C-alpha cells in the first residue's frame, strides 16, 4: 500500500474506531485520489481529504414505538449529514437490523461522490434505523415510521436535507414518513423523494436505480463494441433495484437467470420473463414472501444460503447489499466468463474482489457510478416538486439515460489509463471528487 494511504487510513481508523465499512469506503477513494492530489496540490493545502471524510453533522436519536401487542419497542435512529458543498444533503434511509453508525457513514460518504457524478446539485447524506420491517404488520411499520419522523423532521427540509428509500424503505415507508412530516410542519413540500405518484412522486423513480445500472452496463459494453442483447445476467437481491434491473435487462434482450434474498438464490436457466417477474413483484412487494417460493412455483433450482456468483454468466449485477462478492466469488465469475459487473448495490464487492476484476481487465462499474440513476431521478423529483409540474415517463427516462451517459463519460475522462483500459473506480472517485472539492475551496473553511 502507498505509505500516504497507509498514514491517512491510520488517522481515519483512530478517529473512527470499529467502523469497518466506513474505513473500506474511505480507503478505496483515497487510493484513487492520492495520485490525483499529487498533481493538484491545492486540494492537499485545503485539507480536502481530511475534511471530506468527516461528516458535517451526525444525528442520533431514540425511536420508541408500540407493537401490536401493546409492548414498547425501542430502536436507534440516525441521519448522517455528510457534505453540503454542492447542494442540500441527499440520500436514502435504510431500515435493517444490521444498521449501525459505520455502515451509514460508509453509505453517506459514497453518496457525496455519487451525487456529484449525477451532475445535479445535491450534497450527500444517509440515515436509517436498526428496525427490522420483516415480519412486522403494516400498522407496526406505520407506527415506527411516524415515531422516526417525530424526531427526524426537525433536521430535514426541502432545501436542507432530503431523504429517500434504501434497503427496507420503499413507497410504503416513504408514505408514512411523509404523512407525519406534513402534519408536524403543516407544509406540503418535496422533503422526501420516492413519493407516490399521486402526491408529488416522479414517474420512473421506482425503476430508476435498476434501469440506470442496466444503462451503465450497456455504456460499458459499448466501449468494447458489445451490448446486453443475448447476454446471460446473474442478479442478486429481489428488492427494488433487482426487480427493475431484471425488467430493463430483459427489455434490452438479455436473459436474467438468478435472483436472491438473504435466505438463498434461485437459478432459472430459461430466464425470468415478464410473467415470472410479475410474480416476484407480487411476492416481494405485496406478500413480502421469500424467493424459495419462486423455486417451488416454477420448479427451478434453489441454493439455500448461497449467493448467485457460482452460476455461469456474462454480466453480474450485485443488487442486494455491501460486501456480497468476495475474492472467491470474483474469481469464480471471471473464470466462468463474466465480462462485465455493474453494481446496483452500494459497495457490494470487497476490495479483494475489486482487485480480481481490475486485474482480469473486465468491465467493472462501481456502485457510486453504476447505481447513481436512483438518486439522480430523486434529483429530478426535487426539480419537478420545485416547479410544481410533473414530467412524463418519457421525459424522465430520457433525462435518466442522458445522466447515465454523462456519468460514464466522466469515468472515461478521469479513469482512462495509457494502455486504453478504463478504470471506472478511479474514474468515479476522481470525477465525483473534483466538483465537491472545488466547491469546498470556494466556500472557505466552513
Ligand atoms: P430492498 O429492501 O428493496 O431489497 C433488498 C434486497 O437485498 C432484498 O432482496 C434483500 O433480501 C436483499 N438483502 C438485503 N440485505 C441483505 C443481506 N445482508 N444479505 C443478503 N441479502 C440481503 O432494497 P433496494 O433494492 O432498494 O437496495 C438494494 C441495494 O441497492 C442496497 O445496497 C442499496 O443501498 C442499493 N441502492 C438502492 C437504491 C434505491 O434507489 N433503492 C439506490 C442506489 C443503491 P431480504 O428480502 O431477505 O432482506
Ligand atoms: O444509495 C442511494 O443512492 C439511494 N438509496 C437513493 C438515494 C436517494 O436519495 O434517492
Amino acid at each position: 500500500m502507498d505509505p500516504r494511504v497507509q498514514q491517512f487510513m491510520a488517522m481515519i481508523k483512530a478517529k473512527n474506531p470499529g467502523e469497518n465499512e466506513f474505513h473500506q469506503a474511505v480507503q478505496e477513494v483515497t487510493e484513487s485520489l492520492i495520485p490525483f492530489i499529487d498533481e493538484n496540490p491545492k486540494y492537499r493545502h485545503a485539507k480536502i481529504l481530511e475534511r471530506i471524510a468527516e461528516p458535517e453533522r451526525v444525528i442520533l436519536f431514540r425511536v420508541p414505538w408500540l407493537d401490536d401487542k401493546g409492548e414498547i419497542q425501542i430502536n436507534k435512529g440516525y441521519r448522517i449529514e455528510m457534505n453540503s458543498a454542492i447542494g442540500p444533503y441527499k440520500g436514502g434511509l435504510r431500515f435493517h437490523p444490521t444498521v449501525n453508525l459505520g455502515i451509514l457513514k460508509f453509505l453517506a460518504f459514497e453518496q457525496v461522490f455519487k451525487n456529484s457524478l449525477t451532475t445535479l446539485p445535491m450534497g450527500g447524506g444517509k440515515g436509517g434505523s436498526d428496525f427490522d420491517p420483516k415480519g412486522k404488520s403494516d400498522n407496526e411499520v406505520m407506527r415506527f415510521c411516524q415515531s422516526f419522523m417525530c424526531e427526524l423532521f426537525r433536521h430535514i427540509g426541502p432545501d436542507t436535507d432530503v431523504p429517500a428509500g434504501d434497503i427496507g424503505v420503499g413507497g410504503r415507508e416513504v408514505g408514512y414518513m411523509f404523512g407525519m412530516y406534513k402534519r408536524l410542519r403543516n407544509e406540503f413540500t418535496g422533503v422526501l423523494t420516492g413519493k407516490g405518484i399521486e402526491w408529488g412522486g416522479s414517474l420512473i423513480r421506482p425503476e430508476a436505480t435498476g434501469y440506470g445500472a442496466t444503462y451503465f452496463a450497456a455504456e460499458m459494453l459499448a466501449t468494447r463494441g458489445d451490448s446486453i442483447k443475448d447476454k446471460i445476467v446473474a442478479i442478486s437481491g429481489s428488492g427494488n433495484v433487482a426487480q427493475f434491473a431484471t425488467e430493463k435487462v430483459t427489455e434490452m434482450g438479455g436473459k436474467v437467470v438468478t435472483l436472491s434474498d438473504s435466505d438463498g438464490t434461485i437459478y432459472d436457466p430459461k430466464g425470468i420473463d415478464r410473467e415470472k417477474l410479475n410474480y416476484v413483484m407480487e411476492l416481494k412487494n405485496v406478500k413480502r414472501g421469500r424467493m424459495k417460493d419462486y423455486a417451488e412455483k416454477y420448479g427451478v433450482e434453489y441454493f439455500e444460503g448461497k449467493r448467485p456468483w457460482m452460476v455461469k454468466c456474462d454480466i453480474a449485477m450485485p443488487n442486494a447489499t455491501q460486501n456480497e462478492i468476495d475474492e472467491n466469488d470474483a474469481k469464480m465469475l471471471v473464470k466462468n466468463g463474466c465480462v462485465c459487473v455493474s453494481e446496483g448495490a452500494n459497495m457490494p464487492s470487497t476490495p479483494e474482489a475489486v482487485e480480481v476484476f481490475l486485474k482480469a481487465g473486465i468491465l467493472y462499474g462501481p456502485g457510486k457510478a453504476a447505481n447513481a440513476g436512483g438518486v439522480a431521478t430523486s434529483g429530478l423529483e426535487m426539480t419537478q416538486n420545485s416547479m410544481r409540474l410533473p414530467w412524463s415517463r418519457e421525459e424522465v427516462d430520457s433525462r435518466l439515460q442522458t445522466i447515465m451517459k454523462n456519468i460514464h463519460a466522466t469515468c472515461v475522462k478521469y479513469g482512462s489509463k495509457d494502455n486504453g483500459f478504463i478504470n471506472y473506480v478511479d474514474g468515479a472517485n476522481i470525477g465525483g471528487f473534483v466538483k465537491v472539492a472545488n466547491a469546498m475551496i470556494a466556500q472557505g473553511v466552513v
Side-chain angles (χ1 to χ4, degrees):
M1 199 196 294
D2 184 307
R4 285 163 309 168
V5 176
Q6 208 158 18
Q7 197 183 357
F8 184 71
M9 287 314 299
M11 183 273 285
I12 291 290
K13 286 176 187 170
K15 279 193 170 187
N16 306 274
E19 298 175 2
N20 297 336
E21 290 84 0
F22 180 60
H23 305 161
Q24 183 184 333
V26 173
Q27 181 162 329
E28 185 212 274
V29 168
T30 307
E31 281 169 355
S32 293
L33 285 176
I34 293 264
F36 179 75
I37 291 176
D38 278 345
E39 288 164 23
N40 300 276
K42 65 175 176 180
Y43 300 124
R44 176 162 299 118
H45 300 146
K47 296 220 169 164
I48 297 299
L49 215 45
E50 288 83 347
R51 284 158 67 185
I52 217 166
E54 193 64 54
E56 288 178 13
R57 192 176 298 108
V58 173
I59 300 147
L60 289 172
F61 51 99
R62 176 172 72 196
V63 189
W65 56 282
L66 279 177
D67 70 15
D68 286 346
K69 292 193 219 105
E71 221 173 278
I72 298 168
Q73 301 287 338
I74 294 108
N75 286 99
K76 287 179 185 291
Y78 304 83
R79 186 74 184 163
I80 318 295
E81 295 183 335
M82 200 74 190
N83 194 298
S84 61
I86 63 167
Y89 309 106
K90 180 84 195 86
L93 296 169
R94 176 177 292 192
F95 293 168
H96 195 272
T98 56
V99 160
N100 59 39
L101 187 60
I103 288 180
L104 293 180
K105 278 172 67 179
F106 117 64
L107 288 162
F109 183 76
E110 292 277 296
Q111 200 80 45
V112 173
F113 298 84
K114 184 197 305 194
N115 292 5
S116 162
L117 283 168
T118 66
T119 69
L120 302 175
M122 298 181 290
K126 200 87 185 188
S129 172
D130 59 357
F131 173 74
D132 186 359
K134 268 203 208 85
K136 305 287 190 299
S137 69
D138 272 357
N139 279 333
E140 287 177 323
V141 170
M142 179 173 74
R143 285 195 295 271
F144 172 80
C145 288
Q146 291 178 335
S147 178
F148 186 82
M149 189 50 83
C150 275
E151 175 56 34
L152 187 67
F153 88 100
R154 55 185 108 249
H155 309 288
I156 62 175
D159 296 316
T160 311
D161 184 353
V162 183
D166 192 77
I167 292 177
V169 178
R172 174 182 61 170
E173 291 74 18
V174 169
Y176 294 149
M177 286 189 276
F178 183 79
M180 185 47 89
Y181 181 89
K182 185 165 61 69
R183 185 174 182 191
L184 290 166
R185 282 258 195 251
N186 194 25
E187 270 176 17
F188 194 113
T189 59
V191 67
L192 290 155
T193 59
K195 298 185 293 299
I197 205 64
E198 301 88 351
W199 40 280
S202 174
L203 287 163
I204 301 284
R205 175 63 191 90
E207 294 88 339
T209 311
Y211 279 18
T214 312
Y215 296 146
F216 198 81
E219 286 295 314
M220 289 196 288
L221 287 160
T223 65
R224 298 189 178 174
D226 209 344
S227 75
I228 288 182
K229 190 157 171 28
D230 297 328
K231 294 287 186 299
I232 308 281
V233 185
I235 292 183
S236 66
S238 48
N240 171 268
V241 181
Q243 291 170 17
F244 288 106
T246 303
E247 181 168 292
K248 187 49 78 177
V249 165
T250 311
E251 219 177 278
M252 293 175 87
K255 183 160 83 171
V256 177
V257 295
T258 65
L259 285 173
S260 68
D261 56 28
S262 47
D263 293 335
T265 293
I266 62 104
Y267 176 45
D268 188 344
K270 289 202 189 116
I272 298 162
D273 60 17
R274 181 74 254 176
E275 186 258 317
K276 291 172 182 171
L277 180 59
N278 286 344
Y279 170 81
V280 173
M281 287 176 164
E282 171 84 12
L283 177 70
K284 283 289 165 183
N285 310 344
V286 182
K287 295 190 182 134
R288 301 188 187 268
R290 313 303 300 157
M291 284 312 288
K292 196 175 182 183
D293 300 351
Y294 180 107
E296 277 159 23
K297 177 162 169 71
Y298 293 107
V300 301
E301 271 185 283
Y302 176 69
F303 300 101
E304 180 91 36
K306 292 265 184 322
R307 301 181 288 219
W309 318 124
M310 70 291 188
V311 162
K312 190 170 164 46
C313 65
D314 305 304
I315 301 171
M317 298 182 75
N319 290 344
T321 192
Q322 65 273 0
N323 291 327
E324 55 166 318
I325 300 184
D326 64 20
E327 186 176 10
N328 283 335
D329 297 325
K331 284 181 176 159
M332 203 139 53
L333 282 167
V334 170
K335 189 170 134 243
N336 285 335
C338 175
V339 292
C340 175
V341 178
S342 187
E343 296 184 337
N346 286 303
M347 206 169 74
S349 306
T350 65
E352 296 77 20
V354 174
E355 194 62 33
V356 171
F357 295 143
L358 294 179
K359 273 212 177 107
I362 69 166
L363 299 163
Y364 168 66
K368 63 171 79 68
N371 73 39
V375 73
T377 309
S378 278
L380 300 177
E381 182 170 326
M382 290 166 71
T383 305
Q384 294 167 77
N385 290 164
S386 299
M387 296 190 304
R388 299 184 194 278
L389 206 61
W391 286 329
S392 68
R393 246 185 113 76
E394 293 69 31
E395 166 103 40
V396 181
D397 193 29
S398 134
R399 285 177 186 269
L400 169 62
Q401 289 186 46
T402 305
I403 288 171
M404 296 316 294
K405 274 193 189 356
N406 287 337
I407 295 173
H408 184 269
T410 301
C411 291
V412 172
K413 176 175 171 193
Y414 289 104
S416 289
K417 304 292 164 188
D418 292 341
N419 64 2
F421 178 68
I422 304 160
N423 182 322
Y424 289 92
V425 178
D426 286 348
N429 288 338
I430 300 169
F433 173 81
V434 171
K435 193 164 69 168
V436 178
N438 289 345
M440 287 171 76
I441 291 176
Q443 290 167 25
V445 182
V446 288

